[in-house]
């Protein structure tokens, strides 16, 4: 039993030595990998530092360009206003003149239309008034003509110039 145990002990020591060798190799490989990773990390840090500087430079340049664009935009807008404002003012003034002319023309047309309507109204009023006042005139003229004929047929007097005179009662029925 001691021999078996001694055999197991030797096997255990051999396995322990083999495991120790494996652990030593794994440790060495891990340290090599760790060193490589440290180098990569350092290079990455340096690259990031350079990239950060480049980004800061780009940011400053972009801000400068944006500021210059704003200045140029303001100058261009001011020049545009300076160039277009007189034309716009002239156009608005001309539009107002055209609008006022149209208004005046329409006002003159309405006045002429009212004056024409007034004239037509006066003519129609005169015609109606004349017709109304002359309404019974034709009959009266006929009666006057008949009275004059009666007077001519039956003269009563003559004046000193030889004109025949009639009595007023001959004309009373008119």
């Amino acid at each position: 039993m001691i021999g078996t145990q001694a055999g197991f002990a030797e096997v255990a020591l051999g396995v322990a030595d083999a495991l120790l060798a494996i652990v030593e190799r794994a440790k060495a490989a891990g340290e090599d990998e760790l060193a490589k990773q440290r180098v990569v990390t350092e290079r990455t840090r340096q690259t990031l530092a350079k990239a950060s500087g480049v980004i800061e430079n780009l940011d400053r340049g972009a801000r400068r360009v944006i500021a210059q664009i704003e200045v140029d935009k303001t100058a261009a807008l001011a020049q545009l206003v300076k160039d277009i404002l007189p034309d716009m003012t002239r156009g608005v003034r001309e539009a107002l003149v055209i609008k006022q002319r149209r208004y005046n023309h329409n006002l003159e047309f309405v006045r002429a239309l009212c004056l024409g309507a007034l004239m037509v109204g006066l003519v129609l009023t005169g015609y109606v008034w004349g017709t109304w006042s002359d309404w019974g005139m034709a009959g009266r003229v006929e009666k006057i003509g008949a009275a004059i004929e009666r007077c001519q047929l039956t003269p009563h007097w003559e004046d000193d110039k030889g004109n025949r005179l009639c009595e007023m009662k001959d004309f009373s029925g008119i």
Side-chain angles (χ1 to χ4, degrees), residues 9-90:
E10 282 184 32
V11 170
L13 283 175
V15 169
D17 286 341
L19 282 175
L20 183 63
I22 290 174
V23 168
E24 291 286 327
R25 277 184 289 167
K27 184 180 172 185
E31 286 176 358
D32 283 346
E33 189 61 33
L34 183 61
K36 288 179 186 176
Q37 286 302 320
R38 283 186 181 145
V39 169
V40 168
T41 303
E42 182 60 27
R43 286 183 183 162
T44 302
R45 188 189 62 76
Q46 290 172 356
T47 303
L48 286 175
K50 288 178 184 176
S52 177
V54 169
I55 289 172
E56 286 178 17
N57 286 339
L58 287 174
D59 186 49
R60 278 191 298 257
R63 289 182 192 276
R64 238 182 283 119
V65 168
I66 288 171
Q68 184 61 40
I69 287 172
E70 286 295 324
V71 168
D72 291 347
K73 181 176 81 171
T74 304
L77 186 59
Q79 185 63 36
L80 181 68
V81 167
K82 186 178 176 183
D83 291 344
I84 291 179
L85 191 61
D87 292 337
M88 285 177 52
T89 305
R90 186 173 32 258

Side-chain angles (χ1 to χ4, degrees), residues 107-123:
L107 190 62
E108 288 174 11
F109 180 73
V110 168
R111 285 179 183 163
L113 193 63
C114 289
L115 186 61
L118 180 66
M119 294 304 292
V120 168
L122 287 174
V123 167

